[in-house]
Amino acid sequence: MKFAKIFIVAIIALLGVTACGDPNNPTGGGNDDPTSEWSDNGSPIGEWVLTEWNGSKELPFGVYIRFNEDNTFDLYQHTYTVLWVHYTGTFSLNGSTLNGVYSDGEKWNQYTIKYNSETNQIRLTNSDKNEEGIYSATTIPAEIIEDATEAVNV
Protein backbone atom coordinates (compact mmCIF):
# COMPACT_ATOMS: atom_id res chain seq x y z
CA MET A 1 0.00 0.00 0.00
CA LYS A 2 1.27 3.45 -0.73
CA PHE A 3 2.81 5.51 2.03
CA ALA A 4 0.28 8.23 1.31
CA LYS A 5 -2.53 5.78 1.90
CA ILE A 6 -1.23 4.48 5.20
CA PHE A 7 0.92 7.33 6.39
CA ILE A 8 -1.77 9.10 7.00
CA VAL A 9 -2.10 5.38 5.56
CA ALA A 10 1.58 6.44 5.46
CA ILE A 11 6.12 8.14 6.50
CA ILE A 12 8.25 7.93 9.79
CA ALA A 13 7.53 6.92 14.03
CA LEU A 14 10.56 7.52 17.88
CA LEU A 15 8.92 6.50 21.16
CA GLY A 16 10.09 7.20 24.70
CA VAL A 17 8.80 4.44 26.94
CA THR A 18 7.83 6.75 29.76
CA ALA A 19 6.24 9.41 27.58
CA CYS A 20 4.52 7.40 24.93
CA GLY A 21 4.34 3.72 25.74
CA ASP A 22 6.24 0.63 24.69
CA PRO A 23 8.49 1.30 21.67
CA ASN A 24 8.03 -2.28 20.49
CA ASN A 25 4.24 -1.96 20.43
CA PRO A 26 3.11 -0.17 17.26
CA THR A 27 -0.33 0.36 18.74
CA GLY A 28 0.87 1.64 22.11
CA GLY A 29 1.48 5.22 23.16
CA GLY A 30 -0.50 8.13 21.87
CA ASN A 31 -1.25 11.57 23.20
CA ASP A 32 -3.11 11.01 26.46
CA ASP A 33 -2.50 14.55 27.74
CA PRO A 34 -5.19 16.92 26.41
CA THR A 35 -3.23 19.93 27.71
CA SER A 36 -0.12 19.21 25.64
CA GLU A 37 0.53 21.62 22.80
CA TRP A 38 1.14 21.02 19.10
CA SER A 39 3.47 23.46 17.39
CA ASP A 40 5.13 24.22 14.05
CA ASN A 41 8.55 24.13 15.77
CA GLY A 42 10.43 20.87 15.61
CA SER A 43 12.10 18.39 13.32
CA PRO A 44 10.93 15.10 11.86
CA ILE A 45 14.49 13.72 11.85
CA GLY A 46 14.52 10.43 13.73
CA GLU A 47 12.54 7.21 14.01
CA TRP A 48 8.78 7.13 14.54
CA VAL A 49 6.00 4.60 15.00
CA LEU A 50 2.36 5.17 14.10
CA THR A 51 0.44 5.08 17.39
CA GLU A 52 -2.88 6.65 16.41
CA TRP A 53 -4.80 6.75 13.12
CA ASN A 54 -7.78 9.06 12.61
CA GLY A 55 -8.37 9.22 16.36
CA SER A 56 -8.07 5.48 17.01
CA LYS A 57 -5.28 3.69 18.84
CA GLU A 58 -6.56 0.32 17.57
CA LEU A 59 -4.52 -0.04 14.39
CA PRO A 60 -5.15 -2.74 11.76
CA PHE A 61 -1.65 -2.11 10.32
CA GLY A 62 1.82 -1.13 11.44
CA VAL A 63 4.03 1.74 10.28
CA TYR A 64 7.55 2.76 11.27
CA ILE A 65 9.39 5.58 9.54
CA ARG A 66 12.87 7.03 9.76
CA PHE A 67 13.46 10.56 8.48
CA ASN A 68 17.18 10.97 7.80
CA GLU A 69 19.21 14.18 7.93
CA ASP A 70 19.98 13.89 4.18
CA ASN A 71 16.22 14.22 3.42
CA THR A 72 15.77 10.54 2.68
CA PHE A 73 13.32 8.25 4.43
CA ASP A 74 12.96 4.57 5.24
CA LEU A 75 9.39 3.40 5.67
CA TYR A 76 8.49 0.00 7.10
CA GLN A 77 4.86 -1.03 7.00
CA HIS A 78 2.57 -4.01 7.01
CA THR A 79 -1.01 -3.63 5.94
CA TYR A 80 -2.78 -6.71 4.59
CA THR A 81 -0.12 -9.20 5.64
CA VAL A 82 2.15 -9.97 8.57
CA LEU A 83 5.17 -9.22 6.36
CA TRP A 84 6.90 -5.87 6.73
CA VAL A 85 7.71 -4.01 3.49
CA HIS A 86 10.55 -1.48 3.25
CA TYR A 87 10.08 1.63 1.11
CA THR A 88 12.64 4.37 0.52
CA GLY A 89 12.60 7.82 -0.99
CA THR A 90 13.15 11.50 -0.32
CA PHE A 91 11.18 14.12 1.54
CA SER A 92 11.11 17.90 1.74
CA LEU A 93 9.86 20.17 4.45
CA ASN A 94 8.70 23.71 3.68
CA GLY A 95 7.51 25.32 6.90
CA SER A 96 4.90 22.87 8.20
CA THR A 97 4.30 21.24 4.79
CA LEU A 98 5.82 17.79 4.31
CA ASN A 99 6.14 16.29 0.82
CA GLY A 100 7.79 13.08 -0.33
CA VAL A 101 8.71 10.98 -3.31
CA TYR A 102 9.23 7.22 -3.29
CA SER A 103 12.39 5.81 -4.90
CA ASP A 104 10.36 4.80 -7.98
CA GLY A 105 9.38 8.46 -8.54
CA GLU A 106 5.80 8.27 -7.25
CA LYS A 107 4.84 11.20 -5.01
CA TRP A 108 2.92 10.86 -1.80
CA ASN A 109 0.24 13.24 -0.75
CA GLN A 110 1.13 16.49 0.96
CA TYR A 111 0.93 16.56 4.76
CA THR A 112 0.88 19.24 7.42
CA ILE A 113 3.27 18.34 10.22
CA LYS A 114 2.99 19.47 13.84
CA TYR A 115 5.27 18.65 16.76
CA ASN A 116 4.60 17.96 20.42
CA SER A 117 7.80 18.19 22.43
CA GLU A 118 6.02 17.23 25.68
CA THR A 119 4.92 13.84 24.35
CA ASN A 120 7.73 13.45 21.76
CA GLN A 121 5.27 13.00 18.90
CA ILE A 122 4.53 14.31 15.43
CA ARG A 123 1.09 14.68 13.88
CA LEU A 124 0.70 14.33 10.11
CA THR A 125 -2.51 15.56 8.56
CA ASN A 126 -3.69 15.15 4.99
CA SER A 127 -6.69 17.46 4.67
CA ASP A 128 -7.44 16.26 1.11
CA LYS A 129 -8.16 12.75 2.38
CA ASN A 130 -9.31 13.76 5.88
CA GLU A 131 -6.59 11.57 7.43
CA GLU A 132 -4.46 12.13 10.51
CA GLY A 133 -1.72 10.04 12.05
CA ILE A 134 0.09 10.49 15.34
CA TYR A 135 3.63 9.13 15.37
CA SER A 136 5.62 8.63 18.56
CA ALA A 137 9.38 8.66 18.90
CA THR A 138 10.84 5.14 18.97
CA THR A 139 13.66 2.93 17.83
CA ILE A 140 12.66 0.76 14.90
CA PRO A 141 13.11 -2.84 16.07
CA ALA A 142 16.11 -4.54 14.45
CA GLU A 143 14.04 -7.59 13.51
CA ILE A 144 11.68 -5.43 11.44
CA ILE A 145 14.58 -3.82 9.58
CA GLU A 146 16.32 -7.18 9.04
CA ASP A 147 13.22 -9.13 8.02
CA ALA A 148 11.49 -6.52 5.84
CA THR A 149 10.93 -7.26 2.17
CA GLU A 150 12.22 -4.57 -0.18
CA ALA A 151 9.43 -2.87 -2.13
CA VAL A 152 9.81 -3.49 -5.86
CA ASN A 153 7.36 -0.83 -7.00
CA VAL A 154 5.46 1.53 -4.79
Side-chain angles (χ1 to χ4, degrees):
M1 176 179 266
K2 300 275 184 226
F3 173 73
K5 293 178 184 172
I6 203 150
F7 183 27
I8 306 235
V9 167
I11 260 188
I12 323 225
L14 300 166
L15 173 88
V17 172
T18 58
C20 305
D22 182 349
N24 294 318
N25 179 359
T27 62
N31 182 9
D32 295 330
D33 181 2
T35 63
S36 61
E37 296 291 326
W38 293 96
S39 131
D40 290 335
N41 300 322
S43 171
I45 304 303
E47 296 180 351
W48 306 91
V49 62
L50 181 66
T51 53
E52 189 173 320
W53 178 250
N54 289 333
S56 175
K57 293 180 184 177
E58 299 297 320
L59 305 177
F61 46 80
V63 179
Y64 287 91
I65 191 160
R66 178 187 310 118
F67 290 104
N68 302 302
E69 290 184 13
D70 65 356
N71 286 16
T72 61
F73 69 84
D74 291 280
L75 171 68
Y76 299 88
Q77 66 183 30
H78 72 82
T79 52
Y80 301 111
T81 174
V82 295
L83 301 175
W84 288 89
V85 179
H86 177 219
Y87 298 89
T88 60
T90 60
F91 71 93
S92 63
L93 187 61
N94 183 7
S96 61
T97 302
L98 180 67
N99 292 293
V101 178
Y102 291 99
S103 294
D104 71 355
E106 185 168 338
K107 295 179 182 180
W108 25 283
N109 293 324
Q110 180 174 292
Y111 295 92
T112 300
I113 187 168
K114 298 285 184 180
Y115 307 91
N116 190 319
S117 61
E118 291 179 37
T119 60
N120 205 15
Q121 294 177 309
I122 58 174
R123 180 177 66 205
L124 298 171
T125 306
N126 177 331
S127 57
D128 291 342
K129 293 187 176 249
N130 197 28
E131 297 173 331
E132 179 178 274
I134 305 291
Y135 292 78
S136 299
T138 195
T139 299
I140 301 172
E143 60 272 11
I144 290 177
I145 294 170
E146 293 165 4
D147 295 341
T149 302
E150 294 299 317
V152 177
N153 287 319
V154 182

